Coordinates of all heavy atoms in Angstrom, one line a residue:
S1 N 132.2 103.8 101.5 CA 131.5 103.5 102.7 C 130.6 104.8 103.2 O 131.3 105.9 103.4 CB 132.4 103.2 103.9 OG 131.8 103.1 105.1
V2 N 129.3 104.6 103.4 CA 128.5 105.6 103.8 C 128.9 106.1 105.1 O 128.7 107.4 105.3 CB 127.1 105.2 103.8 CG1 126.1 106.3 104.2 CG2 126.5 104.7 102.4
D3 N 129.3 105.4 106.1 CA 129.7 105.7 107.5 C 130.7 106.9 107.4 O 130.7 107.7 108.2 CB 130.2 104.5 108.2 CG 129.0 103.5 108.5 OD1 127.8 103.9 108.3 OD2 129.4 102.4 108.7
E4 N 131.5 106.9 106.3 CA 132.7 107.8 106.2 C 132.2 109.1 105.9 O 133.0 110.1 105.9 CB 133.8 107.2 105.4 CG 134.3 106.1 106.0 CD 135.7 105.7 105.3 OE1 136.4 106.6 104.6 OE2 136.0 104.5 105.2
I5 N 131.1 109.4 105.4 CA 130.6 110.8 105.1 C 129.6 111.3 106.1 O 129.1 112.3 106.0 CB 130.0 110.7 103.6 CG1 128.7 109.9 103.6 CG2 130.9 110.4 102.7 CD1 127.9 110.1 102.3
A6 N 129.3 110.4 107.1 CA 128.3 110.8 108.2 C 128.6 112.1 108.9 O 127.9 112.8 109.4 CB 128.2 109.6 109.2
D7 N 130.0 112.4 109.0 CA 130.4 113.7 109.7 C 130.3 114.9 108.8 O 130.5 116.0 109.3 CB 131.9 113.5 110.2 CG 132.2 114.5 111.2 OD1 131.4 114.8 112.1 OD2 133.3 115.1 111.0
C8 N 129.9 114.8 107.6 CA 129.9 115.9 106.7 C 128.6 116.7 107.0 O 127.7 116.3 107.5 CB 129.8 115.6 105.2 SG 131.4 114.7 104.6
N9 N 128.6 118.0 106.7 CA 127.6 118.8 106.9 C 127.0 119.6 105.6 O 126.2 120.4 105.8 CB 127.7 119.9 107.9 CG 129.0 120.7 107.8 OD1 129.5 120.9 106.6 ND2 129.7 121.2 108.8
F10 N 127.7 119.4 104.6 CA 127.3 119.9 103.3 C 127.5 119.0 102.2 O 128.5 118.5 101.8 CB 128.1 121.2 102.9 CG 127.7 122.1 101.7 CD1 126.8 123.1 102.0 CD2 128.2 121.8 100.5 CE1 126.5 123.9 101.0 CE2 127.7 122.5 99.4 CZ 126.9 123.7 99.7
Y11 N 126.3 118.4 101.7 CA 126.4 117.2 100.8 C 126.0 117.7 99.3 O 125.1 118.5 99.2 CB 125.4 116.1 101.1 CG 125.7 115.5 102.4 CD1 125.1 116.0 103.6 CD2 126.6 114.5 102.6 CE1 125.4 115.3 104.9 CE2 127.0 113.9 103.8 CZ 126.3 114.3 105.0 OH 126.7 113.8 106.1
I12 N 126.7 117.3 98.3 CA 126.4 117.6 96.9 C 126.1 116.2 96.2 O 127.0 115.3 96.2 CB 127.4 118.4 96.3 CG1 127.8 119.5 97.1 CG2 127.1 118.7 94.8 CD1 129.0 120.4 96.6
V13 N 125.0 116.1 95.6 CA 124.6 115.0 94.8 C 124.8 115.2 93.5 O 124.3 116.1 92.8 CB 123.2 114.5 95.1 CG1 122.6 113.4 94.3 CG2 122.8 114.3 96.6
T14 N 125.5 114.2 92.8 CA 126.0 114.4 91.4 C 125.7 113.1 90.6 O 126.4 112.8 89.6 CB 127.4 114.8 91.2 OG1 128.2 113.7 91.7 CG2 127.7 116.1 92.0
V15 N 124.7 112.3 91.0 CA 124.4 111.1 90.3 C 123.7 111.3 88.9 O 123.1 112.3 88.8 CB 123.4 110.2 91.2 CG1 124.3 109.9 92.5 CG2 122.3 110.9 91.5
P16 N 123.7 110.3 88.0 CA 123.1 110.5 86.7 C 121.6 110.5 86.8 O 121.0 109.9 87.7 CB 123.5 109.3 86.0 CG 124.0 108.3 86.9 CD 124.5 109.0 88.1
T17 N 120.9 111.3 85.9 CA 119.5 111.1 85.8 C 119.2 110.7 84.3 O 118.9 111.5 83.5 CB 119.0 112.5 86.0 OG1 119.5 113.5 85.5 CG2 118.8 112.7 87.6
P18 N 119.1 109.4 84.1 CA 118.9 108.9 82.7 C 117.4 108.8 82.4 O 116.5 109.4 83.2 CB 119.4 107.5 82.8 CG 119.2 107.1 84.2 CD 119.5 108.4 85.0
I19 N 117.0 108.4 81.3 CA 115.6 108.2 81.0 C 115.4 106.6 80.8 O 116.2 106.0 80.4 CB 115.1 108.9 79.7 CG1 116.2 108.5 78.5 CG2 115.0 110.4 79.7 CD1 115.7 109.0 77.2
G20 N 114.1 106.2 80.9 CA 113.8 104.8 80.9 C 112.7 104.5 79.8 O 112.8 105.2 78.8
D21 N 112.0 103.5 79.9 CA 110.9 103.1 78.9 C 110.0 104.4 78.6 O 109.5 105.0 79.6 CB 110.1 102.0 79.4 CG 110.9 100.8 79.5 OD1 112.1 100.7 78.9 OD2 110.5 99.8 80.3
G22 N 109.9 104.4 77.4 CA 108.9 105.5 76.8 C 109.5 106.9 77.1 O 108.7 108.0 77.1
N23 N 110.8 107.1 77.2 CA 111.6 108.2 77.4 C 111.0 109.0 78.7 O 111.0 110.3 78.6 CB 111.4 109.1 76.2 CG 112.1 108.5 74.9 OD1 113.3 108.0 75.0 ND2 111.5 108.5 73.8
R24 N 110.8 108.4 79.7 CA 110.2 109.0 80.9 C 111.4 109.0 81.8 O 112.4 108.2 81.9 CB 109.0 108.1 81.5 CG 107.8 108.1 80.7 CD 106.9 107.1 81.3 NE 106.5 107.7 82.6 CZ 105.4 108.5 82.8 NH1 104.9 109.0 81.6 NH2 104.9 108.9 83.9
P25 N 111.6 110.0 82.7 CA 112.6 110.1 83.5 C 112.8 108.9 84.6 O 111.8 108.4 85.0 CB 112.2 111.4 84.6 CG 111.4 112.3 83.7 CD 110.6 111.2 82.7
L26 N 114.0 108.4 84.6 CA 114.4 107.4 85.5 C 115.1 107.8 86.7 O 116.3 108.2 86.6 CB 115.2 106.4 84.7 CG 115.6 105.0 85.4 CD1 114.2 104.3 85.6 CD2 116.5 104.2 84.5
L27 N 114.4 108.1 87.9 CA 115.0 108.6 89.0 C 115.6 107.7 90.0 O 115.9 108.1 91.2 CB 113.8 109.6 89.7 CG 113.2 110.6 88.8 CD1 112.1 111.2 89.4 CD2 114.3 111.6 88.3
T28 N 115.9 106.5 89.6 CA 116.3 105.5 90.6 C 117.6 105.9 91.1 O 117.8 105.7 92.3 CB 116.5 104.1 89.7 OG1 115.3 103.8 89.1 CG2 117.0 103.0 90.7
P29 N 118.6 106.4 90.5 CA 119.9 106.9 91.1 C 119.7 108.1 92.1 O 120.2 108.0 93.1 CB 120.7 107.4 89.9 CG 120.2 106.6 88.6 CD 118.8 106.6 88.9
L30 N 118.7 108.9 91.7 CA 118.4 110.1 92.5 C 117.8 109.5 93.8 O 118.0 109.9 94.9 CB 117.6 111.2 91.7 CG 117.5 112.4 92.3 CD1 119.0 113.0 92.2 CD2 116.8 113.3 91.4
R31 N 116.8 108.5 93.7 CA 116.2 107.9 94.9 C 117.3 107.2 95.8 O 117.2 107.4 97.0 CB 115.1 106.9 94.4 CG 114.5 106.3 95.5 CD 113.6 105.1 95.0 NE 112.5 105.5 94.0 CZ 111.3 106.1 94.5 NH1 111.1 106.1 96.0 NH2 110.4 106.5 93.6
A32 N 118.1 106.5 95.0 CA 119.2 105.8 95.8 C 120.1 106.8 96.7 O 120.3 106.5 97.9 CB 120.0 104.8 95.0
A33 N 120.4 107.7 96.0 CA 121.4 108.8 96.6 C 120.6 109.5 97.8 O 121.2 109.7 98.9 CB 121.8 109.8 95.7
S34 N 119.3 109.8 97.5 CA 118.5 110.5 98.6 C 118.3 109.7 99.9 O 118.5 110.0 101.1 CB 117.2 111.1 98.1 OG 117.6 112.1 97.0
N35 N 118.0 108.2 99.5 CA 117.8 107.3 100.7 C 119.1 107.1 101.3 O 119.1 107.0 102.7 CB 117.3 106.0 100.1 CG 115.8 106.1 99.7 OD1 115.1 106.9 100.2 ND2 115.5 105.2 98.8
T36 N 120.2 107.1 100.7 CA 121.5 107.0 101.4 C 121.8 108.1 102.2 O 122.2 108.0 103.4 CB 122.6 106.8 100.3 OG1 122.4 105.6 99.6 CG2 124.0 106.9 101.1
L37 N 121.6 109.4 101.8 CA 121.9 110.5 102.7 C 121.0 110.6 103.8 O 121.3 111.1 104.8 CB 121.7 111.7 101.7 CG 123.0 112.1 100.7 CD1 122.8 113.3 100.0 CD2 124.3 112.1 101.6
S38 N 119.7 110.2 103.6 CA 118.7 110.4 104.7 C 119.2 109.5 106.0 O 118.9 109.8 107.2 CB 117.4 109.8 104.3 OG 117.4 108.4 104.2
G39 N 120.0 108.6 105.8 CA 120.5 107.8 107.0 C 121.7 108.4 107.6 O 122.0 108.0 108.8
V40 N 122.2 109.4 107.1 CA 123.4 110.1 107.8 C 123.0 111.6 108.0 O 123.8 112.4 108.7 CB 124.7 110.1 107.0 CG1 125.1 108.6 106.9 CG2 124.5 110.7 105.6
L41 N 121.9 112.2 107.6 CA 121.4 113.4 107.8 C 121.2 114.0 109.2 O 120.7 113.2 110.0 CB 120.2 113.6 107.0 CG 119.8 115.1 106.5 CD1 120.9 115.6 105.5 CD2 118.5 115.2 105.7
K42 N 121.7 115.1 109.5 CA 121.7 115.6 110.9 C 121.0 117.1 110.9 O 121.0 117.6 109.8 CB 123.1 115.7 111.6 CG 123.9 114.3 111.4 CD 125.3 114.5 111.9 CE 126.0 115.5 110.9 NZ 126.2 115.1 109.5

């Protein structure tokens, strides 16, 4: 639950960063994590 990390003040993101078509960086997990944190950032 994202709500349960809302009180934290030091976040560490450790999501995978795979590659997609054409061996190009696939930043979808990084995007999702950043969007999630943006909702609780203070």
Side-chain angles (χ1 to χ4, degrees):
S1 171
V2 176
D3 293 339
E4 294 189 28
I5 63 171
D7 192 48
C8 297
N9 53 26
F10 191 92
Y11 297 97
I12 303 176
V13 178
T14 64
V15 297
T17 44
I19 53 175
D21 295 339
N23 294 320
R24 296 174 67 83
L26 187 61
L27 300 178
T28 305
L30 206 56
R31 178 187 298 276
S34 299
N35 285 336
T36 295
L37 286 180
S38 73
V40 297
L41 204 59
K42 308 173 300 296

